[in-house]
Amino acid sequence: MDPLKKQFQEKATALRDEVKALLKVHREKKVGEVQLGNVFGGMRGVKSMIWETSNLDPIEGIRFRGYSIPELREKLPTAEGDKEPLPEALFWLMLTGDLPTKEQTDWVSQQWRERAEVPAHTFAVLDALPEDTHPMTQFSIAIVSLQSESVFAKRYSEGISKYDYWDPTYEDAMNLIARLPKVAAYIYRRTFHGGDHIAADPTLDWAANFAHMLGVKDKDFKSLMRLYLTIHADHEGGNASAHATHLVGSTLSDCYFSLAGGMNALAGPLHGLANQEVIKWIFEMIESLGTRQPSKEQIKEYVNKTLSEGKVIPGYGHAVLREPDPRFTAQRKFAEDYIKNSDIVNVVWNCFDVIPDILKGLGKVKNPWPNVDAHSGAILVHYGIKEYSYYTVLFGVSRALGVLSALCWSRALGFPLERPKSVTTEWVKEFLKKEEEEITIN
Ligand code: CMX
């Protein structure tokens, strides 16, 4: 058995036994209450899922297995000569709960290199689509087309014990993650560079090879991709892409179907697509103002205009966070270290200075601060990736690390089909009427 799989199995078996014992005693224990506001309000804050790989605190932001983003930048192994963490190392950490050594991280890089081959039919499926098909549509279709390779689906059809589901799920997760950069780079090059594809470089790590296949030559872009693919990987289980992956996976759909479900959720403008919307909004502002260096006053006016049109300010607000997103801060730090005098980056920073006060002034926005998507596009533009409709694919490649390691855990812990209860508004009205009658009687 390979070393990562072995470590995962040991951890998972121990936790599975622990959970079994815990539920035997505490199954009936209440961990919260559901109010009507939650039922109508997108289930905000309702504790209803186990997600081992990361946890989101409204104030502190994301922690992956207990480590904050600054801690990950300090503790995870890096590529030689680089200071950004390797996403391979984060995957090991999320799957096992242990920080990997450099040797273990390199082992994951090698595994993903060996598993990276994409079947010809996936490229044929992509080539059959019009070139102006949105990159997220292409990405989702490509992932589903890869489902023919599912080890889980094959073993399930042959007959497999439910105690062994985790094993082919791990194989699928490793294979799918390994293949994503090639698929995603293919989509970028066919859509924006006339199909002039770039072969993989087997000497590079997973993120650097992706950067290479996208066609950006600047070596700092490789560092950016290592950071980018690390910080977007996971945001606990309730966010739409993670939850969608989890829900689809709970039916015993394999990693391919499950991830495609998650990617379809990521493609919404209130979630991952916000990263394209931010740059689109900034480009439109620049065009409408006729300057690449708008003043803070001009930005304020444009923000107010956007709000008066009944639109949201993309890249700002969050369903859980109540402080600036540490993923925004990490990208800002990267830009401060690597990028000098970029007009677009300066616009992002000036937006940070003016937008929160305007949103606070509306009196209804729970979090006026920037989220991860407020900064990413400006850095990509700096390195020449200006085609913003592609940005959510980059987010998706990263998000696969978190949601697929979490799916391995769901299988190992034997989680059942997800099936919450829905009610009609009529039911709610009846429920409230009965409550009122009871109060009157008493
Ligand atoms: N601009 C304008 N209004 C905003 C706003 C923003 N950035 N963020 C929230 N609001 C509004 C909401 O639309 C809502 O208005 P109504 O009561 O009129 O419907 C009100 O403030 C309350 O919303 P909330 O409780 O603060 O926020 P939610 O939890 O409902 O929604 C989110 C969170 C992210 C969908 C919302 O902040 C938003 O639409 N932001 C812009 C899109 C975005 O950046 N999404 C990316 C999030 C990160 C990610 O998943 O990648």
Side-chain angles (χ1 to χ4, degrees):
M1 192 182 286
D2 80 44
L4 177 55
K5 195 193 246 187
K6 189 163 180 293
Q7 197 164 324
F8 173 65
Q9 186 191 24
E10 282 164 14
K11 296 275 173 143
T13 311
L15 190 62
R16 191 183 170 123
D17 292 347
E18 211 180 312
V19 169
K20 215 169 159 189
L22 183 148
L23 282 179
K24 209 168 167 191
V25 184
H26 298 294
R27 184 170 288 277
E28 316 258 296
K29 197 140 259 156
K30 289 202 170 72
V31 292
E33 57 177 39
V34 180
Q35 298 167 346
L36 210 45
N38 306 118
V39 177
F40 278 98
M43 298 187 278
R44 294 286 184 287
V46 177
K47 295 186 193 75
S48 53
M49 194 192 317
I50 293 290
W51 196 263
E52 303 292 351
T53 48
S54 69
N55 190 50
L56 183 59
D57 180 84
I59 307 300
E60 267 194 347
I62 191 68
R63 278 184 182 268
F64 299 83
R65 293 286 189 174
Y67 296 102
S68 67
I69 287 176
E71 286 164 356
L72 289 185
R73 286 180 97 181
E74 211 180 281
K75 292 182 194 299
L76 288 183
T78 58
E80 218 176 299
D82 194 14
K83 55 182 188 203
E84 300 305 338
L86 285 163
E88 289 91 326
L90 177 68
F91 183 74
W92 184 294
L93 173 67
M94 286 192 292
L95 201 63
T96 66
D98 295 333
L99 285 169
T101 61
K102 176 74 167 92
E103 200 189 356
Q104 288 168 328
T105 306
D106 289 344
W107 177 86
V108 179
S109 295
Q110 183 55 27
Q111 277 290 309
W112 289 355
R113 245 173 246 130
E114 287 170 17
R115 293 168 183 253
E117 197 172 324
V118 175
H121 72 257
T122 292
F123 298 127
V125 165
L126 286 171
D127 287 340
L129 296 169
E131 267 155 33
D132 61 356
T133 306
H134 192 281
M136 276 306 277
T137 313
Q138 298 188 48
F139 193 47
S140 176
I141 288 171
I143 292 168
V144 175
S145 82
L146 284 167
Q147 193 274 337
S148 55
E149 311 304 294
S150 172
V151 180
F152 180 88
K154 184 168 178 288
R155 296 236 190 112
Y156 190 86
S157 74
E158 288 164 0
I160 180 176
S161 157
K162 62 183 180 178
Y163 299 107
D164 295 332
Y165 287 165
W166 66 272
D167 186 317
T169 301
Y170 167 88
E171 295 299 334
D172 275 354
M174 292 286 278
N175 291 338
L176 178 49
I177 291 168
R179 289 166 172 149
L180 287 178
K182 208 174 259 184
V183 169
Y186 191 89
I187 292 168
Y188 180 68
R189 300 294 300 182
R190 83 176 284 267
T191 309
F192 303 109
H193 291 271
D196 178 14
H197 297 292
I198 299 169
D201 179 344
T203 65
L204 294 172
D205 55 88
W206 185 72
N209 188 36
F210 185 23
H212 157 78
M213 289 188 290
L214 287 171
V216 179
K217 298 230 158 47
D218 191 326
K219 81 167 184 19
D220 293 347
F221 185 68
K222 294 188 173 62
S223 306
L224 173 68
M225 280 294 100
R226 291 177 186 126
L227 176 67
Y228 186 106
L229 298 176
T230 297
I231 63 175
H232 286 78
D234 209 24
H235 221 221
E236 73 169 31
N239 72 79
S241 54
H243 190 190
T245 307
H246 179 78
L247 170 64
V248 176
S250 84
T251 70
L252 290 188
S253 267
D254 55 57
C255 285
Y256 296 86
F257 281 131
S258 305
L259 183 67
M263 291 303 101
N264 294 346
L266 194 72
L270 295 186
H271 190 19
L273 202 82
N275 62 4
Q276 85 161 39
E277 294 301 296
V278 168
I279 285 298
K280 183 166 172 265
W281 180 81
I282 289 178
F283 282 172
E284 282 166 1
M285 170 167 65
I286 283 171
E287 183 158 345
S288 117
L289 297 174
T291 171
R292 286 176 67 83
Q293 299 172 330
S295 67
K296 288 184 187 172
E297 237 4 86
Q298 285 177 307
I299 295 176
K300 263 188 210 170
E301 271 174 38
Y302 197 80
V303 169
N304 284 324
K305 177 177 166 291
T306 304
L307 291 170
S308 73
E309 289 164 356
K311 298 174 187 164
V312 295
I313 306 300
Y316 281 75
H318 200 272
V320 179
L321 286 169
R322 295 296 175 255
E323 287 287 334
D325 190 333
R327 301 171 298 175
F328 174 89
T329 313
Q331 294 178 90
R332 180 172 178 143
K333 174 114 198 25
F334 182 94
E336 283 164 358
D337 289 352
Y338 286 84
I339 301 172
K340 302 282 168 260
N341 303 323
S342 153
D343 285 341
I344 305 292
V345 169
N346 284 337
V347 172
V348 167
W349 295 353
N350 285 335
C351 283
F352 177 73
D353 288 343
V354 304
I355 292 176
D357 277 346
I358 299 175
L359 292 182
K360 276 181 213 167
L362 295 180
K364 62 174 183 178
V365 181
K366 295 193 190 67
N367 172 30
W369 300 108
N371 58 57
V372 64
D373 301 316
H375 211 311
S376 52
I379 307 182
L380 293 167
V381 168
H382 170 79
Y383 289 109
I385 309 266
K386 298 192 174 96
E387 304 87 355
Y388 52 72
S389 64
Y390 185 71
Y391 292 175
T392 313
V393 174
L394 295 173
F395 193 157
V397 172
S398 174
R399 187 45 58 97
L401 300 177
V403 299
L404 293 180
S405 51
L407 194 57
C408 290
W409 275 98
S410 299
R411 293 283 183 266
L413 297 178
F415 289 155
L417 178 74
E418 199 172 85
R419 185 31 169 118
K421 174 82 188 111
S422 66
V423 292
T424 61
T425 306
E426 201 48 46
W427 181 93
V428 172
K429 288 196 287 192
E430 276 298 312
F431 169 82
L432 293 174
K433 203 167 117 198
K434 264 190 217 145
E435 277 225 325
E436 237 170 65
E437 283 167 4
E438 267 168 37
I439 292 168
T440 320
I441 292 165
N442 294 329

